[in-house]
Amino acid sequence: MVIPRTIDRGSDFARLAQRISDAGLLDRRPVYYAVRISLTALFYLGCWAAFVWVGDSWLQLLVAVGLAVAFGQFGFIGHDLGHRQVFRRRRPSDVAGLIIGNLGIGLGWGWWTHKHNRHHANPNHEDHDPDVSPAVIVWSTDQVARSTGLPRFIAKYQAFWFFPLLTLEAWHLHIASFKALLDPSAKRRTPELALLLVHAVLYFGLVFAVLPWDKALVFLLVHQGLFGIYLGSTFAPNHKGMPVLTKDDKLDFLRKQVLTSRNVRGGVLTDVALGQLNYQIEHHLFPSMPAPNLRRAQPIVQRYCAEIGVDYLQTGLIESYGQALRHLHEVGAALR
């Protein structure tokens, strides 16, 4: 895919936005979210009830799998709350986000929402998108050239390291949440930190109260490892392997969002498993659009992109991973 260096055609997005608005796809879906949140909460609580019922048994590893899915589904709801898809007003979004994010799954909702909004503003921009800032994984040949230490060592064969490293992603998010709240200027610092601490006490307290230390440690590793893989596997198909932008790329809003995003084809099961983030192009163009409306918006956006000559990429799930991993391998080629 060739990225034009400079394009300024903001009216293209305005025309698309009018079509989307006329179709009623920006309207809130309160009944949908009431049902979705209720079912997810029941699944979450049911997994913890099963944990207590199973007791001292290696069968708890199956419970860990279910809890990883429950935590991931709560994460998707937290994501929608952060984009104001559920409530129009800020306060109910913040309250629900803190309960689900900080208390429910132990992730700093405020910190993550701020970070994620920076990603939306400049997707796949190596200077402004925190999701492609060089850390352990590097995303462009320029980042490889500047890398040192562990990132440089990993980059050589980072496509092979990618999924194993995702087992640490949940731990990374937990630690980053606490670190962000150590800053005295952090917004809602006291309630966010209090809820994170309550989650940690209840989570570790229950695990070690029900299980002996050896089973408890394995349970924690499996649960948090699968939670990290689940989160990473749902976000990786969206942008990884797509063009990485630099300061030389001056694109209008529509092209900046469409050309750096990838959709994943699938049915209802794919939608549920990926939190409907498989409609990534539509989500990036209209981040406040309720998730169930993204499927209906997809053909409208695809047709419009064809009309104005903008590349629109949609693949299957396995192929999306293949594209992302091939990109990572190609980026590290110079080190091999």
Side-chain angles (χ1 to χ4, degrees), residues 24-34 85-86 290-293 296:
L25 298 178
L26 299 178
D27 297 342
R28 293 295 181 271
R29 299 285 299 273
V31 174
Y32 165 85
Y33 275 109
Q85 295 178 16
V86 184
N293 291 348
R296 294 167 55 200

Side-chain angles (χ1 to χ4, degrees), residues 305-333:
C305 287
E307 289 175 17
I308 63 174
V310 174
D311 289 339
Y312 180 105
L313 181 59
Q314 186 169 225
T315 72
L317 181 60
I318 301 304
E319 176 57 22
S320 72
Y321 292 133
Q323 291 177 5
L325 294 176
R326 284 194 294 272
H327 170 77
L328 290 177
H329 199 58
E330 291 166 3
V331 164

Side-chain angles (χ1 to χ4, degrees), residues 6-325:
T6 304
I7 286 184
D8 184 10
R9 295 172 60 183
S11 60
D12 284 341
F13 175 72
R15 286 190 289 271
L16 173 61
Q18 187 62 55
R19 296 186 188 184
I20 293 295
S21 179
D22 290 345
L25 298 178
L26 299 178
D27 297 342
R28 293 295 181 271
R29 299 285 299 273
V31 174
Y32 165 85
Y33 275 109
V35 172
R36 179 179 171 188
I37 292 172
S38 298
L39 291 177
T40 305
L42 286 173
F43 180 47
Y44 175 90
L45 294 173
C47 287
W48 281 119
F51 176 82
V52 174
W53 179 73
V54 171
D56 182 3
S57 169
W58 287 110
L59 290 175
Q60 292 286 17
L61 298 186
L62 296 178
V63 179
V65 175
L67 267 176
V69 175
F71 272 46
Q73 289 293 322
F74 258 164
F76 296 147
I77 294 173
H79 165 272
D80 292 2
L81 287 163
H83 284 298
R84 306 289 184 261
Q85 295 178 16
V86 184
F87 304 106
R88 290 189 182 278
R89 294 186 296 117
R90 179 180 297 274
R91 181 171 179 77
S93 298
D94 290 347
V95 171
L98 292 176
I99 292 173
I100 288 174
N102 293 57
L103 181 61
I105 60 177
L107 300 185
W109 182 78
W111 159 76
W112 184 87
T113 298
H114 175 70
K115 168 179 169 293
H116 188 63
N117 286 338
R118 288 166 55 206
H119 155 73
H120 267 263
N122 290 284
N124 265 27
H125 195 295
E126 65 177 16
D127 296 322
H128 303 302
D129 184 354
D131 290 351
V132 294
S133 60
V136 177
I137 297 291
V138 291
W139 306 101
S140 70
T141 52
D142 288 342
Q143 290 179 350
V144 168
R146 298 193 301 267
S147 65
T148 59
L150 181 61
R152 190 171 183 85
F153 172 78
I154 294 291
K156 190 173 183 179
Y157 293 105
Q158 61 183 357
F160 299 96
W161 284 101
F162 183 71
F163 283 104
L165 285 172
L166 286 182
T167 61
L168 304 175
E169 178 64 12
W171 297 109
H172 162 70
L173 292 173
H174 292 309
I175 293 170
S177 298
F178 275 104
K179 286 178 63 177
L181 292 171
L182 294 179
D183 183 351
S185 65
K187 189 177 181 181
R188 295 186 301 265
R189 184 186 185 210
T190 299
E192 287 226 28
L193 189 56
L195 289 171
L196 282 180
L197 289 173
V198 170
H199 170 85
V201 169
L202 293 177
Y203 178 74
F204 290 106
L206 183 59
V207 169
F208 282 97
V210 171
L211 297 177
W213 69 268
D214 56 341
K215 291 187 177 71
L217 290 177
V218 175
F219 177 88
L220 292 173
L221 290 175
V222 171
H223 174 226
Q224 294 295 332
L226 291 178
F227 179 32
I229 290 174
Y230 187 26
L231 287 180
S233 297
T234 56
F235 284 93
N238 301 335
H239 301 281
K240 307 315 179 193
M242 299 301 291
V244 177
L245 304 181
T246 70
K247 62 180 182 298
D248 296 324
D249 298 302
K250 310 295 183 183
L251 303 178
D252 69 317
F253 177 79
L254 183 144
R255 287 164 179 78
K256 180 168 63 174
Q257 302 298 338
V258 174
L259 296 176
T260 60
S261 303
R262 176 197 295 112
N263 274 16
V264 175
R265 288 189 297 268
V268 175
L269 184 59
T270 302
D271 291 359
V272 173
L274 300 184
Q276 296 170 106
L277 294 175
N278 44 313
Y279 304 104
Q280 190 67 191
I281 294 173
E282 290 70 34
H283 170 58
H284 260 257
L285 289 170
F286 304 97
S288 65
M289 179 185 291
N293 291 348
L294 294 170
R295 174 181 278 273
R296 294 167 55 200
Q298 188 274 327
I300 298 175
V301 174
Q302 187 175 24
R303 284 195 300 269
Y304 184 76
C305 287
E307 289 175 17
I308 63 174
V310 174
D311 289 339
Y312 180 105
L313 181 59
Q314 186 169 225
T315 72
L317 181 60
I318 301 304
E319 176 57 22
S320 72
Y321 292 133
Q323 291 177 5
L325 294 176

